Amino acid sequence: MEQPRQASFGEFALPVAFQLARQLKKAPRAIAEELVAELPAIDGVQSLEVAGGGYINLRLDRGALCAAALAPSTVEAGGGDGKVIVEHTNINPNKAAHIGHLRNAILGDTFVRMLRASGQRVEVQNYIDNTGVQVADVVVGFHYLEKKSLAAVQALIAAEKFDYACWDLYARISQYYKDNPESLQWRRDTLQAIESGEGELAELGRVVADAIVECHMNTMWRLGIQYDVLPRESEILHLKFWASAFEQLKERKAIYLETEGKNSGCWVMPGSAFDENREDEDSKVIVRSNGTVTYVGKDIAYQMWKFGLLGKDFFYQPFRTYPDGHPVFVSTAIADGAAPVSFGGGRKVFNVIDSRQSYLQDVVVAGLKALNYHEQAGNSIHFSYEMVAMSPRACVEMGIELSAEDQAKPYVEVSGRKGLGVKADDLIDKLIDSALAEVGSRNADKSADEQFAAAAAIAIGAVRYFMLKFTRNTVIAFDFQEALSFTGETGPYVQYGAVRAGKILQKAGELPDFAAVLTGSAGGQLLEEESLWQHLLAVSRTDQALAAALAAGEPAHLARFAFQLAQQYSSFYRDYPVIQEENAEKRAFLLWLTAQFRAQLERTLDILGIKVPAFM
C-alpha cells in the first residue's frame, strides 16, 4: 500500500495492478477494474476506485475509523513464538560512561520499547566484560602506579564519583604505557590474574568492575533505561561456556589447528567461513597458541547461549531492584543461594554494537553457520550504528580546550584512552541546568522541585530524541543548543505539543461523552470536513508508523513520526480555537480530537522513552 500524493485521491493506494501487468500481459488499468469489480466489501473501507493508469484508491469509512479510535488498545505481550533478546549498552566497566555510550543504550532501549509496544516478549541483556584489558589497565593504575591497597580502593568506591576517578586513571595509565613500554608486562600479569580469578589483583579487578557497573546502572536509569540480566564474562570463563563451544566447533570442523605460518599453534576459523567471496581472507584466530581464547571466541559461546544452544546456563543473583519494582539479575558461578530464574534461549537476537564491530559480528554468525545452526545464524542480527562526536561549540560549552585544527572541524571525536570526551552524567547535568533556566523563567510560580522535575524530563527528552532522530548509519555531532531547542525537530518540541494539548483539556474542565458525540449525526457531519478528517487520519497512524519503523529497524522513523504528529497538532491548534468554539457539538468533537492528539503524542513519546513534563 502507498499513500496518495493528494488527499482527494483517498487514504491509501494499491499499485498491485502494475505489478501484475507483465505476468498477465494486460494493461494495469484493466486489471485494476477487474479487481475492484470482484473484490468483496472490506470492513472499514467505504469505497474502492480505479485511478490513473491503474491505481486502486481506498477511501476509508470515516465513522468506522472514529469507532476504532474510541476502542481501547488490545495489544498484549506475545511470546507464543518465543522471545526476542536485545543486548545493548555493553560499556567496559573501567570508567564513567561517555556520550558515545549513550547512543548505543538509547537505541537499544528504544528498540526494546518498540518491540514490546508491538506485543513481542523481549529480554534485555547488558553484557559486562569484567575480565578484559580495560579493567586490567585500571587495576594496573591502582596497584602499580598509585600503590593502593584493596581497602584503599574500596574507600574510594564509598566516596562519590568513583567512575570519574577511574576515567582519569585510565587516561594516565594509557599514557604511561606509551612512555614506559616495559610496563605492559604489568597488564599481562594482571590480565592473567583476573582471568584465573585468584589473588589480590583478581579481587581488585572484581571490586573495580562491580563498582563501575553500579555507576553505569545509575547513569542509565537517569535516562529511563533498565535491563533484565547482566551476563558477565567472568562466568563465561569459570562455568566453562567456552569449553563447551570449543568442543562443538572442533567436532564439526568449524575450526582447525594451524601448524605453520604466523598462526602456528592457534585454533583458527578459515576466512572463507565468514566471507564466501574471499577465499584469501585471513583466517580468524579463535584460540591463541598459548591456549587463551580470543574475545570473538567468547562471543561465539555467548551467542550460542543466547539461542539456548550451549547446554549450559549461568546461575543468577539479584543485582538491584529499580524504583518501579523491576528486578535485574547478574550472572554468578556460585550455585548456592542462586535465584530461581533463567535467561537466554531466544528465537531472535539483536546485538546493538557500533558499525566498527561488523567484521567480528560476521565471524560470530559464521561460527553459528559452521556449527549448522543456520536458522539461528539468520536470526542473529547486528543492530549497528555510527559513532557520536561533539560539535566544536558543544566542546567549548563543556570546557574542553580545542586546537585551532579541531575548532575548524564539523565534529570532534572522543577518545577514552586520551581522556578526551564528555561524561554522560556531565552531559545530562548540563542539559538539566540549561532546561532549568528556561523552565524557571517561564514558570516562576512553580516550586523548585516542580521546576527541576520538568527540566529533567525536558533534558532527558532532548538527549534521547537527538540520539534517535538520525538514522543509524549517520555520524552524530551532538550540539546542546540544537538538542534543547523548543522549535524544529527536537524532543522538547514534541513534548510541548503534548503539554499544550493537556492544557486545553484541563481548561475545558469536565469533558463530554465522546462516544455520544462521535456516534451522533453531528459527529458524522464534522467528519465530512476535510481538514478535521486529515487531522484524525494523522493521529490514527501511530501503529502504522511503529510497524514501519520496526520493519526497517530504524527508531529514527518513529522519532520522525512523533515530530510530524506534533506539527500536525500545532496546525490543528492554530486552525481550531477549541475552548472558544461556541457550537457545543463541534466543541465536544474538537476536545475529543485534542484528547486523541494528546494520547498518541504521549504514547509515541513513551515508546521513545521520553516523558511528558507537567509544564514547560
Side-chain angles (χ1 to χ4, degrees), residues 75-358:
V75 175
E76 296 178 0
D81 55 354
K83 70 182 170 187
V84 176
I85 291 174
V86 178
E87 178 204 345
H88 68 80
T89 305
N90 311 336
I91 309 171
N92 288 315
N94 68 318
K95 58 181 172 57
H98 61 62
I99 186 172
H101 298 132
L102 294 186
R103 189 174 196 188
N104 182 309
I106 290 170
L107 273 173
D109 178 67
T110 303
F111 191 62
V112 167
R113 290 167 182 265
M114 289 165 59
L115 289 166
R116 286 176 173 163
S118 70
Q120 299 192 56
R121 183 162 60 97
V122 186
E123 177 178 295
V124 187
Q125 300 181 4
N126 177 8
Y127 180 71
I128 309 298
D129 182 4
N130 60 343
T131 66
V133 170
Q134 291 80 4
V135 173
D137 284 347
V138 174
V139 172
V140 166
F142 280 130
H143 183 79
Y144 292 101
L145 278 190
E146 298 194 343
K147 312 293 184 185
K148 289 190 184 298
S149 65
L150 178 61
V153 173
Q154 288 173 323
L156 272 179
I157 292 171
E160 289 187 358
K161 298 197 172 182
F162 178 67
D163 53 341
Y164 280 41
C166 290
W167 175 289
D168 296 334
L169 183 59
Y170 183 64
R172 279 180 55 207
I173 191 62
S174 297
Q175 185 60 47
Y176 192 88
Y177 288 147
K178 287 183 179 179
D179 299 338
N180 305 274
E182 70 281 359
S183 65
L184 285 168
Q185 185 61 43
W186 294 343
R187 173 194 279 175
R188 289 188 283 270
D189 293 343
T190 303
L191 263 177
Q192 187 174 4
I194 289 175
E195 287 197 10
S196 70
E198 299 176 356
E200 184 179 351
L201 288 175
E203 181 62 14
L204 187 54
R206 184 191 65 77
V207 166
V208 167
D210 286 355
I212 295 295
V213 170
E214 289 278 7
C215 295
H216 291 168
M217 296 284 280
N218 292 338
T219 300
M220 295 306 157
W221 176 247
R222 298 182 72 184
L223 296 161
I225 297 170
Q226 57 182 217
Y227 313 92
D228 297 315
V229 63
L230 311 176
R232 295 187 296 196
E233 184 165 298
S234 53
E235 277 72 57
I236 287 182
L237 296 173
H238 299 155
L239 292 173
K240 311 297 184 186
F241 276 30
W242 165 246
S244 296
F246 189 32
E247 289 306 312
Q248 285 195 47
L249 287 164
K250 287 191 294 184
E251 180 184 339
R252 303 194 185 188
K253 296 182 170 36
I255 58 176
Y256 67 92
L257 181 64
E258 184 61 83
T259 57
E260 57 185 30
K262 64 179 181 179
N263 293 333
S264 179
C266 300
W267 285 91
V268 300
M269 182 182 293
S272 58
F274 43 90
D275 191 341
E276 297 173 358
N277 300 317
R278 293 188 59 186
E279 293 292 335
D280 60 337
E281 182 76 50
D282 282 349
S283 298
K284 183 64 183 174
V285 175
I286 305 300
V287 181
R288 304 180 186 94
S289 57
N290 63 2
T292 59
V293 60
T294 61
Y295 63 86
V296 72
K298 287 179 279 191
D299 282 350
I300 291 172
Y302 179 37
Q303 196 76 350
M304 290 171 67
W305 168 77
K306 288 179 190 172
F307 282 111
L309 303 173
L310 206 58
K312 285 179 172 287
D313 196 2
F314 299 102
F315 301 107
Y316 303 94
Q317 62 187 27
F319 185 79
R320 67 163 57 174
T321 300
Y322 290 104
D324 66 355
H326 180 76
V328 58
F329 295 87
V330 66
S331 64
T332 177
I334 302 170
D336 290 345
V341 294
S342 183
F343 295 96
R347 65 173 175 84
K348 184 175 285 190
V349 175
F350 291 89
N351 297 322
V352 184
I353 306 174
D354 76 57
S355 57
R356 292 169 292 186
Q357 303 298 317
S358 294

Side-chain angles (χ1 to χ4, degrees), residues 592-613:
W592 172 76
L593 200 47
T594 301
Q596 292 295 307
F597 270 113
R598 166 78 180 190
Q600 294 308 315
L601 282 168
E602 277 190 331
R603 180 185 172 210
T604 309
L605 284 170
D606 184 61
I607 297 172
L608 297 175
I610 298 173
K611 294 180 179 178
V612 177

